[in-house]
Amino acid sequence: LAKTTQPISMDSYEGQEVNITCSHNNIATNDYITWYQQFPSQGPRFIIQGYKTKVTNEVASLFIPADRKSSTLSLPRVSLSDTAVYYCLGAGSYQLTFGKGTKLSVIP
Amino acid sequence: DAGVIQSPRHEVTEMGQEVTLRCKPISGHDYLFWYRQTMMRGLELLIYFNNNVPIDDSGMPEDRFSAKMPNASFSTLKIQPSEPRDSAVYFCASNNIAGGSVWQFFGPGTRLTVL
């Protein structure tokens, strides 16, 4: 399982773009990089997944460089409702290991 | 689709009592996972099943914990006897592997308090 490292917390003002970087130096060849979002008193929710280069959906963008040793989750124009914990995982072999995640606080 | 269903949502019990947590995965999903979340340890995988068969229970903390999946639509996590340090939020998740991509759908969790 890929061990991931991400910042414990981040603060941002409303309307700004937020980039959360995760390092996963030992990611396996067949691992996907997956990001989850967790609001207080709820279970984690899948937001985006990628293997390499760039992936974009209605919620976020995910940038993965060629060496795949890191990835960056980009949230455009955050709002107060984006305040949550964001987890980065290197997922493969049907197992997922969550760390402590990054607690994002959006300030009015 | 109702999503992953867990019951009860909240459970308060006294030390030494048996606790049973329940989970109904999303129909058609063949993997089921049990997690525990605490402030100190974050989100930990306890056990997971594939096609109702336990595949990896290395995360189960000790013999007081047991999990079963008698059929594709139901699983239980049992703690007997319960201890205050078992207080946590327990999540159930399910998925259906498609190719190499892997992500899970989580239930709302059961908040367990052991007094």
Side-chain angles (χ1 to χ4, degrees):
Chain A
L1 299 173
K3 178 177 170 56
T4 59
T5 302
Q6 51 184 124
I8 293 174
S9 64
M10 294 181 69
D11 294 335
S12 176
Y13 287 101
E14 273 191 297
Q16 289 188 330
E17 178 185 75
V18 171
N19 296 308
I20 305 174
T21 297
C22 175
S23 66
H24 27 79
N25 293 320
N26 65 336
I27 192 165
T29 303
N30 59 349
D31 279 357
Y32 280 71
I33 293 116
T34 309
W35 286 79
Y36 287 76
Q37 174 191 56
Q38 185 177 24
F39 297 114
S41 302
Q42 295 185 24
R45 180 177 74 109
F46 167 85
I47 50 174
I48 199 166
Q49 181 181 78
Y51 187 79
K52 59 182 179 181
T53 64
K54 177 182 175 181
V55 178
T56 297
N57 61 22
E58 65 279 6
V59 176
S61 293
L62 179 60
F63 300 90
I64 305 169
D67 66 7
R68 300 192 347 110
K69 293 183 182 300
S70 67
S71 60
T72 299
L73 175 73
S74 181
L75 304 172
R77 297 182 297 282
V78 294
S79 64
L80 296 177
S81 63
D82 292 317
T83 294
V85 178
Y86 293 83
Y87 297 94
C88 159
L89 287 83
S93 304
Y94 314 144
Q95 287 187 310
L96 299 179
T97 299
F98 288 77
K100 294 287 185 67
T102 297
K103 184 176 182 180
L104 172 65
S105 298
V106 180
I107 306 164
Chain B
D1 193 336
V4 176
I5 299 172
Q6 291 187 247
S7 65
R9 293 294 310 275
H10 301 273
E11 176 83 29
V12 180
T13 190
E14 292 187 348
M15 182 174 62
Q17 297 298 306
E18 177 180 292
V19 175
T20 300
L21 311 181
R22 297 172 177 80
C23 175
K24 177 179 170 57
I26 293 173
S27 177
H29 283 187
D30 51 9
Y31 282 82
L32 184 139
F33 304 78
W34 282 100
Y35 289 87
R36 177 172 68 175
Q37 186 171 39
T38 61
M39 289 292 290
M40 290 292 292
R41 301 172 70 91
L43 194 59
E44 306 172 276
L45 177 64
L46 301 177
I47 185 172
Y48 78 95
F49 296 82
N50 176 218
N51 292 322
N52 314 335
V53 176
I55 303 301
D56 186 350
D57 64 355
S58 59
M60 296 285 264
E62 48 197 274
D63 292 344
R64 296 184 299 106
F65 286 69
S66 63
K68 295 182 180 179
M69 191 165 186
N71 57 61
S73 59
F74 183 66
S75 177
T76 60
L77 178 67
K78 185 176 293 186
I79 308 172
Q80 167 63 20
S82 58
E83 298 182 1
R85 61 192 168 121
D86 301 329
S87 297
V89 180
Y90 290 82
F91 290 103
C92 175
S94 70
N95 71 355
N96 185 16
I97 306 302
S101 63
V102 176
W103 68 81
Q104 299 176 351
F105 296 83
F106 281 76
T110 295
R111 181 174 295 277
L112 173 64
T113 302
V114 183
L115 303 174

